Amino acid sequence: MIMKRVFSGIQPTSDSFHLGNYLGALKQWVELQDGHDGFYCIVDLHALSGEIEPTLLRKRTLSSAAQLIALGISPETSTLFVQSQVPHHNQLGWLMECLAGFGEASRMTQFKDKSAKGGAESARVGLFTYPMLQAADILLYQANLVPVGEDQRQHIELTRDLAGRFNTRFGQTFTIPENFILKSAAKIQDLQDPFSKMSKSSGSSAGVLEIMDTPESNMKKIKSAATDAGREVKFDEKEKPGISNLLAIHSALSGQTITALESEFEGKGYGDFKIAVADVVVEYLRPIRAKALELLEDENHLVDLLHVGAAKARTVATETLEKAYKNLGTVA
Ligand code: TYM
């Protein structure tokens, strides 16, 4: 039986992944390894569309690899690699740029949000072409499924459109991927501002639960999470966004349903509930952080593992790129 292919990527833009990354995407990466052919990419070229800091990029790329392995990505079962080690991403990225319309690229909300922050005039061109490189990432591997959080939905839609356009115009070349967005954890919110998503680029780290943070720090962040009016532990995203977010986090990590948690905490206050959430989060992350720190002690080994992944990735990427060039009429 041919296994379905899974592809996803994450930017090495901070020292630690956060719980939003994990519950929205990485947990599915790990689970989908079973019975699927997983390609998981640390997208360092995408990270260059933001602030470029060479020492940090290297450190964060290695830390990303260590965290992914610690979270359960197996470099033997799956193909774990760094994007810049497979130049085919840039090559197919160009083809995608030649296929995408200026108008459709201008409608990407992540581009609009990010470029609006620093002023459109100073926004980098790489930020604009970012979604076409993302489409290339996915299409190079003929991926069937792309596990991501809700914020990536529009980019996956664009990828599907570009793949369909290419196939129609130049002949069957790319698999059209589906997104794999878990409803329950697709959007984990900031603990201090439960109306905004938990994000690496949030102004303050007080509402962001980081995998590499100390247990004490994460415990403190949860205990001081913003809560809502009333005292009942009930899931209601409109009226109780803070408590609902904590319920979603607890449920995703403990495996208990939201309804079971609501009954467990009936009659108890927010204080008791927050302590329970903090315990679940801290105990879940403790061994993961320890494993990542251990892996980071041997950088050469991590680099070797990534080279093996890149070699596997290049084999598949070469085949797709050759097919695309051939269908476009380039002379080989
Ligand atoms: P990135 O690096 O911002 O985030 C990695 C993954 O984490 C998810 N995520 C969240 N999910 C739920 N709640 C949150 N608060 C939250 N914050 C982040 C993201 O949806 C994502 O799945 N453009 C991508 C990287 C990328 C990519 C790709 C992804 C490049 N090429 C190809 C898939 C396929 C990004 O910036 O993810």
Side-chain angles (χ1 to χ4, degrees):
M1 196 190 76
I2 299 175
M3 284 198 284
K4 280 198 174 177
R5 173 91 34 90
V6 175
F7 180 93
S8 199
I10 188 159
Q11 296 191 72
T13 39
S14 67
D15 293 338
S16 174
F17 297 146
H18 56 69
L19 211 58
N21 296 133
Y22 178 61
L23 296 179
L26 306 178
K27 193 160 179 274
Q28 285 66 258
W29 295 20
V30 175
E31 286 165 7
L32 286 167
Q33 289 183 115
D34 250 359
H36 294 83
D37 184 14
F39 279 69
Y40 299 124
C41 186
I42 301 166
V43 290
D44 56 347
L45 298 175
H46 277 107
L48 299 177
S49 65
E51 282 315 310
I52 304 175
E53 197 39 84
T55 324
L56 279 183
L57 184 66
R58 183 186 160 77
K59 179 170 169 251
R60 290 172 170 176
T61 302
L62 291 173
S63 165
S64 299
Q67 288 174 73
L68 290 173
I69 297 171
L71 286 167
I73 298 296
S74 155
E76 284 94 41
T77 314
S78 298
T79 303
L80 174 65
F81 68 106
V82 176
Q83 189 184 29
S84 59
Q85 292 180 11
V86 186
H88 310 64
H89 288 251
N90 304 75
Q91 292 172 286
L92 187 60
W94 173 250
L95 303 190
M96 292 299 131
E97 284 172 35
C98 293
L99 210 62
F102 198 83
E104 69 186 339
S106 308
R107 282 191 293 277
M108 294 292 112
T109 53
Q110 289 222 328
F111 167 72
K112 287 200 278 186
D113 292 350
K114 287 190 181 170
S115 59
K117 270 191 192 154
E121 205 39 50
S122 63
R124 240 84 58 68
V125 176
L127 199 58
F128 185 67
T129 56
Y130 180 117
M132 282 61 82
L133 181 60
Q134 178 161 350
D137 297 341
I138 299 167
L139 300 180
L140 262 183
Y141 300 96
Q142 307 287 1
N144 304 101
L145 286 180
V146 188
V148 285
E150 181 59 42
D151 60 354
Q152 297 301 313
R153 186 186 289 279
Q154 201 188 23
H155 288 168
I156 312 299
E157 260 324 302
L158 176 73
T159 304
R160 290 166 53 84
D161 288 348
L162 294 175
R165 201 173 302 163
F166 195 106
N167 288 347
T168 308
R169 176 81 178 77
F170 307 110
Q172 179 57 39
T173 311
F174 301 115
T175 302
I176 302 197
E178 287 166 44
N179 60 39
F180 183 96
I181 299 178
L182 269 199
K183 214 162 185 258
S184 55
K187 208 166 164 210
I188 299 296
Q189 306 294 66
D190 185 285
L191 299 188
Q192 287 300 322
D193 172 13
F195 289 104
S196 306
K197 70 170 183 181
M198 192 175 279
S199 160
K200 301 173 207 178
S201 55
S202 123
S204 141
S205 70
V208 181
L209 293 171
E210 295 187 338
I211 290 172
M212 298 304 282
D213 222 344
T214 60
E216 295 71 31
S217 165
N218 276 335
M219 180 81 82
K220 197 164 146 217
K221 285 180 185 175
I222 296 172
K223 286 190 183 157
S224 41
T227 41
D228 318 294
R231 25 188 340 273
E232 251 185 310
V233 177
K234 270 257 162 270
F235 191 87
D236 179 341
E237 281 173 305
K238 279 224 173 66
E239 300 297 326
K240 290 173 175 274
I243 289 297
S244 303
N245 191 37
L246 292 176
L247 275 167
I249 290 174
H250 188 313
S251 165
L253 294 179
S254 67
Q256 285 177 263
T257 62
I258 303 255
T259 323
L261 290 170
E262 286 172 341
S263 355
E264 186 181 333
F265 290 95
E266 207 180 320
K268 297 184 187 149
Y270 289 161
D272 283 351
F273 174 59
K274 281 184 179 177
I275 291 173
V277 177
D279 282 341
V280 167
V281 171
V282 164
E283 290 319 314
Y284 195 94
L285 295 183
R286 195 189 295 278
I288 294 168
R289 173 173 184 262
K291 173 89 182 147
L293 288 173
E294 184 193 316
L295 285 160
L296 281 168
E297 278 173 21
D298 190 351
E299 269 192 28
N300 291 339
H301 178 59
L302 271 180
V303 170
D304 286 348
L305 288 176
L306 292 169
H307 285 164
V308 172
K312 284 200 267 176
R314 280 193 297 266
T315 307
V316 179
T318 302
E319 203 178 305
T320 306
L321 190 68
E322 277 176 4
K323 191 166 167 193
Y325 274 161
K326 181 165 173 272
N327 289 350
L328 286 171
T330 66
V331 174

